[in-house]
């Protein structure tokens, strides 16, 4: 949940940082949001279909915690990109939201071990 998005999209992150350094924030935000949309619209359904093909039970029922985290993330990103400007406080908001989500998933109990008992 934490390392896969960072490592998996390293090229997009590098180009977004490069374009933001070159003072092209619109392009940097477009790359970041486009990458997230691509994952949500293609990779997740593709993973479910691959799970069906190999006999692994998968569905698109993410549960209340994952859905809430997704909605909060969408609201935070929307609050950043709606005005077209950014400052240090909005960057701090993004980093804080990421840290809160990391701590939340770190302390979340493992439901697979609870089901087997």
């Amino acid at each position: 949940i934490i390392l896969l998005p960072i490592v998996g999209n390293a090229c997009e992150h590098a180009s977004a940082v490069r374009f933001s350094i070159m003072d092209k924030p619109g392009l940097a935000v477009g790359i970041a949001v486009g990458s997230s949309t691509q994952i949500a619209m293609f990779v997740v359904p593709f993973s479910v279909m691959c799970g069906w093909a190999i006999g692994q039970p998968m569905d698109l029922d993410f549960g209340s915690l994952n859905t809430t985290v997704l909605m909060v993330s969408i609201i935070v990103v929307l609050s950043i990109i709606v005005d077209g400007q950014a400052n240090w406080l909005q960057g701090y908001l993004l980093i804080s939201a990421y840290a809160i989500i990391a701590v939340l998933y770190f302390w979340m109990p493992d439901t697979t071990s609870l089901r087997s008992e």
Side-chain angles (χ1 to χ4, degrees), residues 25 29-30 33 74-86 90:
V29 169
V33 172
I74 290 170
I75 291 169
V76 168
V77 171
L78 182 65
S79 71
I80 301 297
I81 65 172
V82 75
D83 61 354
Q85 298 178 5
Q90 290 175 332

Side-chain angles (χ1 to χ4, degrees), residues 79-96:
S79 71
I80 301 297
I81 65 172
V82 75
D83 61 354
Q85 298 178 5
N87 57 25
W88 66 270
L89 186 59
Q90 290 175 332
Y92 181 74
L93 177 67
L94 289 170
I95 293 172
S96 299

Side-chain angles (χ1 to χ4, degrees), residues 14-97:
S15 62
V17 168
R18 190 181 80 213
F19 285 123
S20 65
I21 289 172
M22 294 170 50
D23 200 25
K24 297 182 181 180
L27 187 56
V29 169
I31 290 171
V33 172
S35 175
S36 301
T37 304
Q38 176 184 2
I39 295 294
M41 298 301 288
F42 176 71
V43 174
V44 173
F46 182 73
S47 298
V48 170
M49 285 189 264
C50 287
W52 288 341
I54 63 172
Q56 182 71 21
M58 297 180 75
D59 56 10
L60 292 175
D61 181 21
F62 295 117
S64 60
L65 177 67
N66 293 334
T67 306
T68 304
V69 166
L70 181 66
M71 293 314 251
V72 168
S73 300
I74 290 170
I75 291 169
V76 168
V77 171
L78 182 65
S79 71
I80 301 297
I81 65 172
V82 75
D83 61 354
Q85 298 178 5
N87 57 25
W88 66 270
L89 186 59
Q90 290 175 332
Y92 181 74
L93 177 67
L94 289 170
I95 293 172
S96 299

